[in-house]
Amino acid sequence: HMYLGQALEQKGRHLEALNSFDTAIRLSGGSNQLTAMKAHACALAGDAKSARELLGQLQRPAFGKCLPSYDIAATHAALGDSTQAVQWLKRARNERNMKLFLVSQDPRFDALRGHSEFSAVVQQMGLAKTGTDRRMLSTAH
């Protein structure tokens, strides 16, 4: 359901995406990562209030659960809060979050690509696209 939710979100089918994330959250027993992904879907659907409420819940995690910093950064990007998005990406970097290798291609960060702070963080992490990366992507089958 997580991947279905992401696909529906990218297609602009927000209500269906939210339903998929709800199912995935229920089946996972309350995954913080899935909750952050649902918050992102809420932001894209224009429901900033729900997105911010979910982010608030995530910042009070239960003992033993980690915060999905990368996905929280994506939600802040969708809310138009570039400063918070960059701060959460820095946190993801400090945590050595495995998802960071996606940041150069992740469409959830497209709105931030022109922001100098975002570009600087991506450069510092060594994750900026290069001409070689683009050629490799365009020739991939």
Side-chain angles (χ1 to χ4, degrees):
H1 285 275
M2 175 182 79
Y3 296 117
L4 177 60
Q6 287 179 305
L8 291 166
E9 179 183 86
Q10 289 299 309
K11 290 185 158 277
R13 295 167 57 183
H14 303 298
L15 183 58
E16 293 170 90
L18 289 168
N19 287 336
S20 287
F21 286 126
D22 282 338
T23 300
I25 290 166
R26 182 177 42 79
L27 292 173
S28 73
S31 162
N32 280 350
Q33 179 183 4
L34 291 167
T35 300
M37 295 170 92
K38 179 183 176 184
H40 182 266
C42 287
L44 287 184
D47 188 357
K49 180 181 179 197
S50 292
R52 290 187 193 286
E53 286 174 2
L54 289 169
L55 287 174
Q57 290 174 19
L58 287 170
Q59 292 180 38
R60 295 182 302 274
F63 178 75
K65 287 190 176 183
C66 64
L67 289 174
S69 301
Y70 182 87
D71 293 301
I72 290 172
T75 302
H76 282 292
L79 290 168
D81 189 348
S82 61
T83 301
Q84 282 294 311
V86 168
Q87 291 304 313
W88 282 96
L89 279 176
K90 287 178 181 178
R91 182 175 173 153
R93 177 194 61 204
N94 293 341
E95 297 167 351
R96 301 181 191 273
N97 189 302
M98 295 294 290
K99 283 186 158 185
L100 282 172
F101 79 94
L102 299 170
V103 75
S104 293
Q105 293 87 23
D106 192 333
R108 297 182 299 170
F109 293 101
D110 285 350
L112 296 182
R113 302 226 186 267
H115 289 74
S116 59
E117 284 183 287
F118 175 79
S119 297
V121 169
V122 172
Q123 289 282 342
Q124 290 167 1
M125 289 188 272
L127 297 169
K129 281 186 185 179
T130 65
T132 304
D133 294 337
R134 287 188 201 104
R135 282 194 302 276
M136 288 172 60
L137 289 171
S138 66
T139 59
H141 298 295

